[in-house]
Amino acid sequence: MLKEAVQEVRVFAPATVANVACGYDVLGFAIDSPGDEVVVRHCSKPGLHITAITGDDGKLPKAPEKNTAGVAALDLLKHLGMTDRGIEMEIHKKMPFGSGLGSSAASAVAGAYAINRLIGEPLSKKQLMPFAMAGEASADGAWHADNVGPCLLGGIVFIRDNEELDLAQIKAPENLWAAVVHPDIEILTKVAREILPKEIPLQNATQQIGNLGGLICGLIQSDYGLISRSIHDVIAEPRRQKLIPEFYKAKRAAQAAGALGFSISGAGPSVFALCEGKESADKVAADVAKVFSDVNLPNQSYVSKINPHGVHVVEEKKA
């Protein structure tokens, strides 16, 4: 049964940390901030129209079929047979591009979720996954749910199969916190993927599988020691670290400050640490930020528990 439709809805889609060190393309989690906001409302002119975009420095197109939020929304409306319905959309970018924090995923998720809510929620959150994925894929050409999954569903998400979108949510340990620092440089996902090896030695593959299994077990069992022993990436991090100034100095600072583990968020340049407790996360974030500041690299820090909710409605106006 459809819920009561609304006239206007504003939604927030959070940033995400993808890969989580050893879970390349198959593991991610949501944080509380930053994130993107999308506003949609009914209008008399048929079709979807993007009327405003803020926070993008003029980089994003207003043509819906060329915009990640627009593509996700159009894909959903086509699926529902509602492409002629008049809808206006505003996109408010509140996170940097090429940050490794799932910027394109957040816009795509917000676009699909906002449209679904506006028309009475005919689909569940999980059913929105392929439409949000189509939106993100329009930006980077890749089909992997380690950003879209946690942004949409919240929490920690493991993807058994990206093509099938076979996902499992993992409840985060009660006192698990994330410290994320974004240095002000841009790394395009396409570039970060191109420097990865096409083949992986069996020894590295075995080690990575062991780390991923250990991390998932540690999360499920709230075993912080096992989590700490498992957050190690022997495949992507050794190659991508050279794209991030002072990466290993930042990693040593995080470890010295008590981080459970430290690595690159998504394709970078953002870096993250998992920590036991807020006090530890605050100290780790401050010490890592200082490493970047010491080389005159501006940066922003975000400290939060794992966000269990994902995308959500901020405000809505009844019809």
Side-chain angles (χ1 to χ4, degrees), residues 28 33 43 88 100 118 160 181 209 224 241 284 295:
S33 66
C43 69
E88 292 179 352
L118 186 73
R160 187 201 65 80
V181 180
I209 292 167
Y224 294 98
Q241 56 83 20
V284 168
V295 292

Side-chain angles (χ1 to χ4, degrees), residues 174-187:
E174 182 63 32
N175 205 28
L176 188 68
W177 286 71
V180 179
V181 180
H182 171 250
D184 279 345
I185 57 174
E186 184 174 330
I187 296 176

Side-chain angles (χ1 to χ4, degrees), residues 99 153 242 310 319:
S99 60
L153 303 175
K242 60 188 176 185

